[in-house]
């Protein structure tokens, strides 16, 4: 490893690993079948300080660094990707956005219960016709007296049903492009906010994904996050941190797939010996382990830059791009190595394969990551 972890970071990793493999893993396969939201997991994770890890202590968080968060998140993903995606959105996008841009009143009212895990948060940016192009969103927020009236539909919202508060982007000025997008903190019991039906997804089935429909939804004007026109900036900053989170989830699922494959290869016999002794299998394991390690280095590089308060947009996109593509390759190899057993739900690699597929899509597709990376490289004025 290029990165030398501190004692505190290793203690956090050890604590979360034990919790993840004893508690989270126990119900992961069943929740995948039933789509039951892991509320009990999140209650315990809140008590362990995992739902607002990078939030200062005075707002109910743990005040740890991004490296500690990445270690913890990947351990949760190792056991249950559905649980990890909710943890990721909560920490990386919801809590950090309010911490960075919220007023003191907003931090006390919303951030404290979020960071302590008393409530779940959601982030609503994507719309039916505005996914990779957020400037095409049509949701509007109009000021009327001391309230904003929000109208529009948000799509594919993680924790859309089970969240208690949502950060929503909406246009407050149609004439100024991305500078006309604002962000709002919307409690779920706000009048005019309707939760759509849960999507029936390929993977991450225990994490609810819904539409959020705003029909003359009224919120107090004090619930604007930042200033009018800050919404695009808030969303992009949140996504930078969120992409490190997706990369960490990818690393956790990939490691679980590799470990399951190693265990299977040491037990499965063909042609008179365990398949772990066959060169073809050994080379696959070597490739899988190398890819995971490469992803790990990119992730910790981006996380370290974030902790040093350096600009890390390019590195976050690189980590997300590589790790999300990597986990799809690793889980595919894991299924292949299991043969017919990899195709049935009695073996966890089947679930890992389905869960991994969305990692190249949400919080910016692989294609969007390539745009972000190339834009950052080509505008770099330093000479090669």
């Amino acid at each position: 490893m290029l990165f030398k972890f501190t004692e505190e970071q290793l203690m956090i990793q050890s604590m979360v690993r034990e919790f993840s493999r004893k508690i989270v893993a126990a119900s992961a396969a069943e929740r995948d079948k039933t789509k039951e939201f892991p509320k009990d997991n999140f209650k315990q994770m809140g008590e362990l300080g995992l739902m607002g890890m990078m939030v200062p202590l005075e707002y109910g968080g743990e005040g740890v660094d991004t490296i500690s968060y990445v270690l913890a998140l990947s351990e949760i993903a190792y056991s249950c990707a559905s649980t990890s995606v909710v943890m990721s959105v909560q920490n990386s996008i919801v809590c950090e956005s309010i911490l960075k841009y919220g007023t003191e009143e907003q931090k006390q009212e919303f951030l404290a219960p979020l960071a302590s895990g008393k409530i779940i948060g959601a982030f609503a940016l994507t719309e039916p016709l505005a996914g990779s192009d957020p400037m095409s969103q049509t949701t509007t927020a109009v000021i009327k007296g001391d309230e904003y009236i929000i109208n529009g539909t948000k799509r594919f919202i993680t924790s859309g049903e089970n969240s208690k508060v949502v950060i929503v982007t909406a246009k407050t000025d149609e004439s100024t492009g991305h500078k006309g997008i604002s962000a709002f903190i919307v409690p779920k019991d706000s009048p005019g906010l309707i939760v759509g039906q849960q999507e029936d997804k390929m993977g991450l089935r225990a994490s609810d994904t819904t539409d959020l429909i705003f029909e003359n939804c009224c919120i107090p004007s004090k619930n604007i996050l930042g200033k009018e026109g800050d919404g695009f900036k808030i969303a992009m900053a949140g996504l930078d941190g969120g992409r490190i989170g997706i990369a960490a989830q990818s690393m956790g699922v990939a490691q679980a797939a590799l470990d399951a494959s190693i265990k299977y290869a040491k037990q499965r016999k063909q042609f008179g010996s365990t398949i772990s002794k066959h060169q073809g299998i050994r080379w696959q394991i070597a490739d899988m382990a190398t890819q995971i390690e490469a992803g790990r280095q990119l992730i910790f590089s981006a996380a370290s830059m974030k902790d040093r308060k350096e600009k890390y947009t390019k590195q976050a996109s690189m980590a997300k791009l590589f790790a999300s593509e990597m986990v799809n390759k690793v889980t595919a190899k894991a299924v292949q190595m299991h043969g017919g057993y990899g195709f049935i739900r009695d073996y966890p690699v089947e679930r890992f394969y389905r869960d991994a597929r969305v990692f190249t899509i949400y919080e910016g597709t692989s294609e969007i990551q390539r745009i972000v990376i190339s834009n950052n490289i080509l505008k770099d004025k330093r000479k090669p």
Side-chain angles (χ1 to χ4, degrees):
M1 285 288 296
L2 293 176
F3 296 93
K4 184 172 175 58
F5 300 127
T6 65
E7 247 184 77
E8 181 185 11
Q9 289 166 346
L10 291 172
M11 283 174 60
I12 289 170
Q13 182 186 41
S14 177
M15 179 269 290
V16 180
R17 178 174 293 174
E18 182 178 6
F19 168 77
S20 176
R21 300 190 190 186
K22 282 185 179 177
I23 305 300
V24 177
S27 61
E30 185 61 25
R31 290 182 192 279
D32 176 65
K33 294 176 186 175
T34 63
K35 299 198 294 183
E36 182 185 357
F37 188 73
K39 288 181 182 175
D40 47 350
N41 285 354
F42 293 124
K43 183 175 184 299
Q44 294 180 72
M45 288 166 66
E47 292 166 356
L48 290 172
L50 302 182
M51 300 305 283
M53 294 187 70
M54 296 170 287
V55 174
L57 296 171
E58 59 262 36
Y59 299 119
E62 289 298 302
V64 302
D65 58 14
T66 312
I67 296 285
S68 299
Y69 165 63
V70 164
L71 289 169
L73 181 58
S74 62
E75 290 295 342
I76 296 296
Y78 184 98
S79 298
C80 179
S82 294
T83 302
S84 73
V85 69
V86 177
M87 176 183 169
S88 179
V89 170
Q90 178 99 346
N91 276 273
S92 301
I93 306 183
V94 178
C95 286
E96 285 220 88
S97 294
I98 299 175
L99 177 64
K100 189 172 181 180
Y101 295 99
T103 63
E104 184 61 30
E105 183 181 356
Q106 289 170 345
K107 291 173 185 177
Q108 295 294 341
E109 183 177 357
F110 300 110
L111 182 58
L114 284 163
S116 61
K118 291 176 183 173
I119 62 172
I120 299 293
F123 190 86
L125 173 66
T126 299
E127 296 186 3
L129 298 177
S132 295
D133 179 14
M135 284 189 286
S136 295
Q137 64 184 285
T138 58
T139 297
T140 60
V142 177
I143 189 78
K144 187 175 182 182
D146 60 354
E147 290 184 323
Y148 278 97
I149 313 299
I150 303 175
N151 281 283
T153 297
K154 297 294 184 177
R155 178 142 294 169
F156 302 140
I157 307 306
T158 299
S159 304
E161 181 172 334
N162 285 283
S163 57
K164 296 297 183 187
V165 64
V166 189
I167 296 176
V168 179
T169 60
K171 285 187 175 177
T172 46
D173 186 346
E174 295 274 359
S175 66
T176 55
H178 71 275
K179 292 182 179 179
I181 298 172
S182 303
F184 303 89
I185 304 173
V186 183
K188 286 289 289 300
D189 58 1
S190 300
L193 173 50
I194 302 162
V195 178
Q197 68 177 18
Q198 281 198 40
E199 301 291 350
D200 191 12
K201 300 176 297 186
M202 175 193 294
L204 305 182
R205 290 174 59 78
S207 161
D208 61 297
T209 301
T210 72
D211 281 0
L212 291 177
I213 303 153
F214 299 85
E215 293 184 354
N216 293 321
C217 177
C218 300
I219 61 165
S221 58
K222 67 178 183 177
N223 280 23
I224 189 169
L225 187 58
K227 305 184 299 294
E228 277 201 8
D230 282 350
F232 186 80
K233 175 176 70 175
I234 290 169
M236 294 305 103
L239 287 174
D240 280 348
R243 285 164 183 165
I244 293 177
I246 302 301
Q249 293 171 59
S250 300
M251 180 171 67
V253 173
Q255 189 65 55
L258 174 59
D259 288 353
S261 298
I262 292 169
K263 180 180 177 183
Y264 180 80
K266 287 180 174 179
Q267 294 172 345
R268 174 71 166 165
K269 287 189 175 181
Q270 290 285 276
F271 306 106
S273 65
T274 59
I275 62 172
S276 64
K277 294 196 167 120
H278 298 171
Q279 181 173 298
I281 297 296
R282 295 172 78 90
W283 283 12
Q284 286 190 56
I285 288 171
D287 286 345
M288 292 160 77
T290 301
Q291 290 284 298
I292 292 169
E293 184 61 27
R296 183 177 284 115
Q297 299 300 329
L298 281 169
I299 294 163
F300 286 125
S301 174
S304 295
M305 291 181 72
K306 182 173 183 288
D307 284 335
R308 293 193 300 267
K309 302 191 184 313
E310 298 172 7
K311 183 173 173 55
Y312 65 97
T313 296
K314 179 179 72 175
Q315 285 74 16
S317 282
M318 284 178 166
K320 199 270 189 187
L321 171 63
F322 184 88
S324 64
E325 297 278 351
M326 173 273 291
V327 71
N328 275 275
K329 294 172 186 172
V330 167
T331 53
K333 281 182 181 290
V335 170
Q336 187 72 16
M337 200 179 300
H338 280 70
Y341 293 110
F343 200 65
I344 61 177
R345 294 196 174 185
D346 290 346
Y347 285 74
V349 292
E350 184 270 344
R351 170 166 52 92
F352 300 155
Y353 182 71
R354 287 186 289 105
D355 285 341
R357 188 61 194 88
V358 76
F359 292 163
T360 62
I361 298 172
Y362 65 1
E363 293 195 29
T365 63
S366 291
E367 291 73 23
I368 289 296
Q369 303 314 315
R370 290 183 173 97
I371 291 172
V372 172
I373 294 163
S374 60
N375 283 350
N376 275 269
I377 291 170
L378 293 170
K379 78 178 181 183
D380 192 340
K381 296 184 171 124
R382 292 174 300 176
K383 292 182 180 179

